[in-house]
Amino acid sequence: MDRVAVRRPDLKPTFFVCYADINDANYKLCVEFDEPRSVGDQAELLRLFEQSLGEVNIEYPYKRASMRLKDPEIFQLQRGTSVRFIQYIGKNAVMDNQAKIPRLSR
């Protein structure tokens, strides 16, 4: 997401997580902004995010081209979702140092 922010600082979300959906064979990018964003802004963010993935992971473009990975999806979260998510993680962590935000998970 840092690479996206360099290219388009106005599109940087205040919070994000990305989930690998094994059944759909794609990534689900969940983002929260200070203010709601248009469908066009979300599409551009997703395009830049995917481009950045290809820059840091040489296998990503090949898996997309071969359709082993399908089109990623973006979901705009309601404001405050990140706070509730972080509170949930903290409340359910075994130890304080285990309360980490998983940026990419299944």
Side-chain angles (χ1 to χ4, degrees):
M1 197 55 74
D2 290 335
R3 288 174 177 259
V4 172
V6 167
R7 294 178 175 113
R8 289 286 306 272
D10 60 310
L11 292 180
K12 184 178 180 182
T14 55
F15 175 82
F16 79 94
V17 291
C18 189
Y19 293 96
D21 186 324
I22 294 175
N23 294 327
D24 287 347
N26 73 349
Y27 288 118
K28 312 282 196 226
L29 179 60
C30 303
V31 295
E32 181 180 326
F33 298 100
D34 286 332
E35 298 294 326
R37 298 302 176 103
S38 69
V39 172
D41 281 349
Q42 292 176 60
E44 179 64 5
L45 172 65
L46 189 60
R47 185 189 72 75
L48 292 170
F49 186 73
E50 188 170 31
Q51 179 182 359
S52 297
L53 280 176
E55 292 169 3
V56 297
N57 181 346
I58 194 167
E59 292 183 24
Y60 184 77
Y62 296 108
K63 289 186 179 182
R64 287 285 289 119
S66 70
M67 295 302 294
R68 286 179 284 169
L69 277 175
K70 296 183 177 62
D71 291 339
E73 297 176 79
I74 189 166
F75 299 90
Q76 185 170 198
L77 304 172
Q78 293 180 354
R79 283 188 68 195
T81 300
S82 59
V83 172
R84 290 189 302 277
F85 182 61
I86 291 165
Q87 288 171 341
Y88 174 83
I89 290 172
K91 182 177 154 186
N92 293 292
V94 175
M95 297 169 49
D96 288 342
N97 63 352
Q98 291 180 351
K100 298 175 186 166
I101 300 170
R103 294 296 181 188
L104 176 62
S105 65
R106 289 196 275 172

